Amino acid sequence: MKGKFITFEGIDGTGKSTQIQMLAERLQNLGYQVIVTREPGGTRVAERVREIVLDAQLPLSARSEALLFMASRSEHVEKIIRPALLAGKVVLCDRFCDSTFVYQGLHCDVEMLRKLNFIATEGLMPDVTVVLDGDPEMLLQRRTVRGVQDRFENKGLEFQKQLRQGFLALAKEEPERIKVVDGMASREDVAVAIASCLKIS
Ligand code: TYD
C-alpha cells in the first residue's frame, strides 16, 4: 500500500475538523494528493447508517450500535479508504477504530470489538493516529451551543472524562501509532504539533 492513512480522535470540541482541514491544505501545498473523510460516514450507505447511530431518539442496544458502526466502516474502507491508499493518496479520517474501542468499549467487550473491527476493515489500521486531547470541563465551556445534540454529545461531563481516559490509555498501549497532541493550545500551535508528529516540515 503506497498511501498514508492518518486518523484523528478525541473527545468533543477539541477542534478536530479545523485541524484536519488545515493539515489537508498543508499537505496539498506540499504536493500530496489528499482526501478528507469521516466516520461514521464517507459513503452514501455509511452516511445513512450515521443518521441511525447518532439519532438520540432511536433506542439501540450496545451490540447493535457497535455492529452498525462496523457496517459503516466496512463500506467506507472498501469503497473509499483502501482505493485511495492504493492510488497513493493521503487519507485524513475524522475518527476511526479507536473511537469504537473507546466509546463502544464502555459497554462492550473490547476484544470482541477488536475482532469485529478486523473483519470490517480486513485488517486495515491507521499508519498514524492523532489524539487531540483537552480538559473536558474547559472544552464544555469553550464549546458554542450547537443546537440538537447527538446520541453521544448529551451524556455529560463524566462521560467525556471517561472517554478522555480511554483515548489516553490507548495511546499508552500503542505509542508508536497513537500520538497525543494538546488540543487546548492555539489553532496554529496545534497545527505545528500535529505536523511535527507526522514528520512534515
Ligand atoms: P460527530 O458529529 O462526527 O462527532 P465529532 O464532531 O465529535 O467527531 O459524531 C460522531 C460521534 O460518533 C462521536 O460522538 C463519536 C461517536 N462514534 C462512536 O461512538 N464510535 C465510532 O466508532 C465512531 C467512528 C464514532
Side-chain angles (χ1 to χ4, degrees):
M1 200 167 278
K2 296 183 287 171
K4 267 247 173 290
F5 183 27
I6 305 169
T7 60
F8 290 79
E9 301 279 4
I11 60 174
D12 288 335
T14 47
K16 275 187 286 102
S17 353
T18 310
Q19 289 301 328
I20 291 171
Q21 281 312 328
M22 287 167 78
L23 179 63
E25 278 170 33
R26 191 170 184 153
L27 290 171
Q28 274 155 355
N29 290 338
L30 289 169
Y32 292 93
Q33 276 190 293
V34 181
I35 72 159
V36 172
T37 186
R38 69 169 179 183
E39 288 225 345
T43 70
R44 283 179 64 197
V45 169
E47 290 291 337
R48 291 264 196 106
V49 176
R50 178 186 175 90
E51 284 170 26
I52 299 171
V53 283
L54 296 190
D55 187 343
Q57 306 302 318
L58 287 179
L60 191 55
S61 80
R63 191 147 36 108
S64 315
E65 179 185 293
L67 287 166
L68 282 167
F69 277 112
M70 296 303 175
S72 155
R73 180 159 309 142
S74 168
E75 277 292 297
H76 193 203
V77 168
E78 186 178 331
K79 307 246 172 80
I80 306 290
I81 299 176
R82 216 180 267 281
L85 292 173
L86 285 170
K89 295 179 185 170
V90 179
V91 176
L92 304 182
C93 189
D94 191 342
R95 298 194 183 279
F96 196 67
C97 59
D98 300 298
S99 279
T100 312
F101 303 147
V102 170
Y103 283 73
Q104 281 64 55
L106 293 176
H107 301 289
C108 297
D109 176 59
V110 177
E111 280 317 306
M112 177 194 78
L113 293 173
R114 287 194 181 270
K115 283 185 196 147
L116 291 173
N117 184 65
F118 189 88
I119 295 168
T121 59
E122 293 185 297
L124 179 74
M125 287 294 280
D127 295 301
V128 184
T129 297
V130 176
V131 168
L132 282 183
D133 182 47
D135 173 47
E137 238 153 309
M138 285 169 74
L139 289 171
L140 213 60
Q141 285 167 11
R142 197 168 82 167
R143 198 150 35 130
T144 49
V145 181
R146 282 198 281 181
V148 184
Q149 293 186 314
D150 71 32
R151 188 186 297 280
F152 302 98
E153 285 171 342
N154 61 9
K155 292 193 176 171
L157 185 59
E158 280 315 306
F159 180 64
Q160 296 296 325
K161 285 185 182 169
Q162 277 180 300
L163 297 173
R164 181 192 198 190
Q165 290 317 315
F167 283 119
L168 294 178
L170 281 184
K172 266 203 172 148
E173 277 173 35
E174 280 188 74
E176 281 302 307
R177 172 174 70 89
I178 307 179
K179 310 291 179 195
V180 179
V181 168
D182 176 12
M184 305 300 289
S186 71
R187 268 167 41 132
E188 288 69 25
D189 287 351
V190 177
V192 169
I194 291 174
S196 107
C197 287
L198 301 174
K199 302 190 175 69
I200 300 166
S201 48

